[in-house]
Amino acid sequence: MSQPLTYPAHARRILVLGLPLVGGHVAQMAIGLTDTIMMGRYGVPELAALTLAMTLFSTLFLFGSGFAWAVMPMVAQYDAEGDERQIRRATRMGLWLSIGFFALTMPAMWASAPLLRALGQTPQVAQDAQVYLRIAGWGLLPALGVMVLKSFLAALEHTRVVFWITVASAVVNGFANYGLIFGHWGLPELGLQGAALGSLLSHGVALAGVVAYARLRLPQYPLWQRFWRPDTEMLREVFALGWPIGFTTLAEVGLFAATAILIGWIGTVPLAAHGIALQISALTFMVHLGLANVATVRAGQARGRRDGLGLRRGAVAVLALSGVAVIATVAAFVIVPEWLVGLFLSRDDPDRAAILQTGAALLMVAALFQLVDAAQVVTLGLLRGLQDTRVPMVMAGVAYWGLGLPVAWGLGFPAGFGAVGVWFGLVIGLGVAAVLLNWRFWSRAVPGMPAQSLASAGPRD
């Protein structure tokens, strides 16, 4: 029996495991930002189609990633238990479910134009978005495979390679876009189709990278051996854990999409300010998302070791680190909001002053937003590590849609607070989710774990 880790020791291990994951999330975000910037320089109609297509692709990707995220706590627990066979089984069935999800959703992307027209999009934009998705949609298969294998690697504490592979795919995406969208380096000028090919290529490179690393560095886990054989029992387990994660993610993504629609009703300037403030908040949110991934891994390890003390101390440490990041973010949002918003605007933009004013006001609200959003996503990570996903899904869904969205509408329109009111609705919805999820973790999940600390696993790379 080893000595239990102190709080500083937990914090160090969280940072060693988490910083590469945070960097990986930032690099992944940079891929979408690169696509948007390059297509914006190519043409506004093409940018509109790309934005629409990426929204549909991202929604399906995040929903389908629920099975990949389910693999992470399962592998972490089995690793703590020393059960290599179960690690292989869970990862394989995560890949099986991802392949099945792709097979179900690819037809929707292939024939997306009628769906997009039914949602009120213009025929030309809908048709252009379908052109993009008929190419880029095939990238959903490698993208989901990458997510499963990243979860597998992160749970085994091989996080640095996750970062470098994501950076490599971002670089490939940038060069491919530059060449194929604009026709540089002797390549054909393909515009929107070039962006789709660049996206497909970057997903393929990432998949090749994670597969090669898993085969070369972790030969004790022959994931592809007898891959074709079904494993019904493990398939059910991964599915049961993964589908609530997918729906929880879908509920949160849907909430933000709905608030964008609400602010769009107010006007173009508020919508532009909302988009900028959301981009800034999303960038800082990557810190908390990375810490949430670490929370999942560490909680899964504690579950495997039956280590209640380690679970409690690790939870306090990861929430404290998230809180430190929140303090730094809040300081920036409060002290220099106009400067942050101005980074996204041209100096000769006629609406610059109005967007700066509204965007700065939204960032002030985002200071509160960061606190509650960080608390709820990190606690979700802890609960997922304990394989508790169904009740948190209900809690989050009720908080987001049963409270957050109605309050956003009420404050934004009947109360007359406009875009700022809509953002306060987000704060309230996410805040209630944070309270409910923390109550679930500290009053129900933690007391169910034994108090004795049995072992401590150190970082692998």
Side-chain angles (χ1 to χ4, degrees):
M1 185 178 297
S2 63
Q3 290 295 319
L5 292 178
T6 63
Y7 288 108
H10 273 288
R12 284 193 296 271
R13 292 192 176 181
I14 289 166
L15 290 173
V16 168
L17 183 60
L19 289 177
L21 293 175
V22 171
H25 287 305
V26 172
Q28 189 68 45
M29 186 177 176
I31 293 175
L33 187 61
T34 301
D35 290 348
T36 300
I37 291 172
M38 288 194 181
M39 192 52 65
R41 293 184 177 182
Y42 186 81
V44 173
E46 290 82 2
L47 175 60
L50 176 73
T51 302
L52 185 62
M54 286 178 63
T55 299
L56 178 57
F57 182 94
S58 298
T59 300
L60 293 173
F61 170 68
L62 290 170
F63 186 26
S65 293
F67 303 121
W69 286 323
V71 168
M72 188 180 292
M74 297 178 76
V75 170
Q77 177 185 334
Y78 296 141
D79 183 46
E81 294 172 346
D83 195 335
E84 293 183 0
R85 178 173 176 270
Q86 292 291 82
I87 290 173
R88 293 194 299 270
R89 293 178 66 202
T91 306
R92 284 175 187 154
M93 291 304 101
L95 290 167
W96 268 54
L97 287 166
S98 296
I99 293 169
F101 182 84
F102 166 77
L104 290 173
T105 54
M106 184 60 202
M109 288 188 284
W110 186 266
S112 55
L115 170 65
L116 296 173
R117 287 197 300 269
L119 294 174
Q121 305 301 316
T122 63
Q124 187 59 53
V125 171
Q127 186 61 38
D128 288 345
Q130 179 176 275
V131 168
Y132 176 90
L133 288 169
R134 283 189 170 184
I135 299 172
W138 293 102
L140 184 62
L141 180 59
L144 291 174
V146 168
M147 284 297 297
V148 173
L149 294 174
K150 281 183 176 179
S151 293
F152 162 76
L153 292 172
L156 297 176
E157 301 195 16
H158 289 260
T159 56
R160 294 178 193 174
V161 67
V162 170
F163 168 71
W164 288 115
I165 288 173
T166 308
V167 169
S169 66
V171 171
V172 168
N173 180 75
F175 279 107
N177 275 359
Y178 186 71
L180 292 169
I181 292 174
F182 301 102
H184 294 302
W185 306 316
L187 295 171
E189 181 183 335
L190 298 177
L192 195 62
Q193 290 175 304
L197 286 169
S199 175
L200 180 58
L201 180 61
S202 69
H203 291 310
V205 167
L207 181 62
V210 291
V211 169
Y213 184 89
R215 288 177 65 91
L216 295 173
R217 292 294 303 273
L218 298 167
Q220 67 271 37
Y221 303 105
L223 300 177
W224 315 108
Q225 184 178 324
R226 296 188 298 276
F227 182 79
W228 54 271
R229 291 181 60 181
D231 185 347
T232 308
E233 180 185 2
M234 182 58 73
L235 188 76
R236 283 197 297 264
E237 289 185 29
V238 178
F239 180 80
L241 187 61
W243 74 260
I245 298 176
F247 273 106
T248 302
T249 305
L250 187 63
E252 186 169 5
V253 171
L255 174 65
F256 284 97
T259 55
I261 292 171
L262 291 179
I263 293 176
W265 294 348
I266 300 171
T268 303
V269 167
L271 184 58
H274 166 80
I276 292 171
L278 202 57
Q279 282 284 331
I280 297 170
S281 297
L283 181 61
T284 57
F285 178 72
M286 294 302 106
V287 175
H288 310 293
L289 185 57
L291 290 174
N293 294 153
V294 179
T296 298
V297 172
R298 299 290 288 172
Q301 292 170 342
R303 187 172 191 260
R305 297 191 304 266
R306 311 295 188 267
D307 183 3
L309 179 60
L311 174 65
R312 288 191 293 274
R313 288 186 175 181
V316 170
V318 74
L319 287 167
L321 289 170
S322 179
V324 170
V326 166
I327 291 171
T329 301
V330 168
F333 286 3
V334 171
I335 295 171
V336 288
E338 292 89 354
W339 179 79
L340 290 170
V341 175
L343 294 174
F344 291 79
L345 296 170
S346 170
R347 292 193 175 276
D348 57 1
D349 191 320
D351 294 320
R352 178 182 172 88
I355 294 174
L356 279 175
Q357 182 180 7
T358 304
L362 292 180
L363 282 185
M364 299 293 282
V365 182
L368 290 174
F369 171 90
Q370 285 284 310
L371 176 63
V372 296
D373 203 14
Q376 66 100 24
V377 75
V378 173
T379 309
L380 266 176
L382 289 166
L383 289 166
R384 287 172 185 172
L386 300 178
Q387 301 186 25
D388 183 7
T389 59
R390 294 193 185 186
V391 172
M393 173 190 68
V394 175
M395 288 178 168
V398 169
Y400 299 158
W401 287 87
L403 186 62
L405 188 61
V407 170
W409 176 83
L411 292 176
F413 294 93
F417 290 108
V420 172
V422 173
W423 271 60
F424 266 114
L426 280 175
V427 171
I428 291 171
L430 293 168
V432 170
V435 170
L436 292 175
L437 293 169
N438 270 277
W439 171 83
R440 173 79 177 176
F441 178 74
W442 292 106
S443 69
R444 301 295 298 275
V446 171
M449 288 282 288
Q452 186 71 42
S453 175
L454 299 180
S456 297
R460 301 279 172 76
D461 82 12

